[in-house]
Amino acid sequence: DGGITQSPKYLFRKEGQNVTLSCEQNLNHDAMYWYRQDPGQGLRLIYYSQIVNDFQKGDIAEGYSVSREKKESFPLTVTSAQKNPTAFYLCASRVKEAGTSGYNLDEQYFGPGTRLTVT
Amino acid sequence: DAKTTQPNSMESNEEEPVHLPCNHSTISGTDYIHWYRQLPSQGPEYVIHGLTSNVNNRMASLAIAEDRKSSTLILHRATLRDAAVYYCILLTYGQNFVFGPGTRLSVLP
């Protein structure tokens, strides 16, 4: 089955440590996204990538870094510079070109999320 | 980014219809109206989208006002599994989705 996987589901880290969240998709989608969600809030865009080896900052990129070396993978590193890293992190993907594998051009597909707790 | 306004929360009884409103008075002619929903502790999932005409799919119906300044997501028979946060989003082609706080729907048995 095609989909987006994020691992792990729960992650615990000590303050001051960098941590990398995994996101993999086998939907053959070009675009991938990272969002952060705090309790009772909507999703805020951290970084996005429209194509391999290219990515752009979203609304809250400070303290985060990403890479896009493969189409299928878009890992997010939460660095020690992120002042308040405890949150629910969601990865998503979207097809860029119409007609690709029958996917809706407008639909964004989300992974199950990683809940990060930093103490 | 074009903005949407939704009630913070709504309640419905099981097996009754639910009408979730969304105001988007600053919508432009090229903005699509999208609805996503997020079940507890999961990522959001697509529900429906439209431009001008009302839309139906297996999950819901979308009613769009004639002036497009508001829309309503209709769940025809709410089930307990429909309890979620529902997001109304305006999307311009080529732009990114912007998720506001949404409407938290509670379904009572």
Side-chain angles (χ1 to χ4, degrees), chain A residues 21 33-39 41-48 55-66 74 76-79 81-90 116, chain B residues 1 96-99:
Chain A
L21 310 184
Y33 306 80
W34 273 106
Y35 293 89
R36 170 189 171 127
Q37 187 173 35
D38 294 290
Q41 306 295 314
L43 282 65
R44 291 185 289 169
L45 184 63
I46 305 173
Y47 267 99
Y48 62 102
F55 47 83
Q56 286 78 41
K57 293 181 179 180
D59 301 318
I60 56 164
E62 185 174 348
Y64 300 97
S65 66
V66 293
F74 191 42
L76 173 75
T77 297
V78 184
T79 75
Q82 168 49 235
K83 290 182 173 40
N84 189 14
T86 295
F88 187 45
Y89 290 88
L90 287 156
L116 173 65
Chain B
D1 296 323
N96 293 322
F97 287 93
V98 178
F99 288 81

Side-chain angles (χ1 to χ4, degrees), chain A:
Chain A
D1 287 334
I4 301 177
T5 57
Q6 292 185 244
S7 59
K9 191 170 177 65
Y10 298 95
L11 190 54
F12 298 88
R13 280 293 183 271
K14 295 286 189 188
E15 195 173 328
Q17 293 179 334
N18 290 357
V19 58
T20 297
L21 310 184
S22 166
C23 177
E24 304 278 331
Q25 54 99 359
N26 61 3
L27 302 169
N28 199 33
H29 286 176
D30 292 298
M32 296 187 74
Y33 306 80
W34 273 106
Y35 293 89
R36 170 189 171 127
Q37 187 173 35
D38 294 290
Q41 306 295 314
L43 282 65
R44 291 185 289 169
L45 184 63
I46 305 173
Y47 267 99
Y48 62 102
S49 169
Q50 305 279 24
I51 196 169
V52 174
N53 291 324
D54 188 41
F55 47 83
Q56 286 78 41
K57 293 181 179 180
D59 301 318
I60 56 164
E62 185 174 348
Y64 300 97
S65 66
V66 293
S67 63
R68 185 87 186 275
E69 296 176 3
K70 297 186 301 182
K71 187 175 185 177
E72 303 80 20
S73 179
F74 191 42
L76 173 75
T77 297
V78 184
T79 75
S80 56
Q82 168 49 235
K83 290 182 173 40
N84 189 14
T86 295
F88 187 45
Y89 290 88
L90 287 156
C91 179
S93 71
R94 187 177 169 193
V95 67
K96 270 196 67 184
E97 299 298 327
T100 300
S101 305
Y103 287 103
N104 180 351
L105 186 63
D106 296 299
E107 185 174 344
Q108 196 154 305
Y109 295 79
F110 284 83
T114 292
R115 196 168 296 278
L116 173 65
T117 302
V118 177
T119 56

Side-chain angles (χ1 to χ4, degrees), chain B residues 5-104:
Chain B
T5 304
Q6 300 177 251
N8 290 335
S9 61
M10 291 184 65
E11 267 187 8
S12 172
N13 294 318
E14 197 176 9
E15 298 190 3
E16 289 186 357
V18 182
H19 290 234
L20 296 163
C22 181
N23 288 320
H24 29 78
S25 58
T26 60
I27 191 171
S28 73
T30 55
D31 288 339
Y32 279 78
I33 302 160
H34 285 249
W35 285 82
Y36 279 69
R37 73 177 186 180
Q38 186 176 19
L39 302 174
S41 297
Q42 295 186 28
E45 62 177 350
Y46 169 83
V47 177
I48 201 166
H49 80 284
L51 183 62
T52 56
S53 304
N54 294 345
V55 184
N56 300 296
N57 66 20
R58 63 175 180 82
M59 289 181 72
S61 295
L62 176 60
I64 301 173
E66 197 168 330
D67 63 5
R68 300 209 325 128
K69 293 182 186 294
S70 66
S71 61
T72 302
L73 180 71
I74 302 166
L75 308 180
H76 295 287
R77 286 182 71 226
T79 70
L80 297 178
R81 293 186 68 241
D82 291 321
V85 177
Y86 287 79
Y87 299 99
C88 172
I89 302 163
L90 297 185
L91 183 69
T92 301
Y93 182 78
Q95 301 299 311
N96 293 322
F97 287 93
V98 178
F99 288 81
T103 296
R104 183 173 298 276

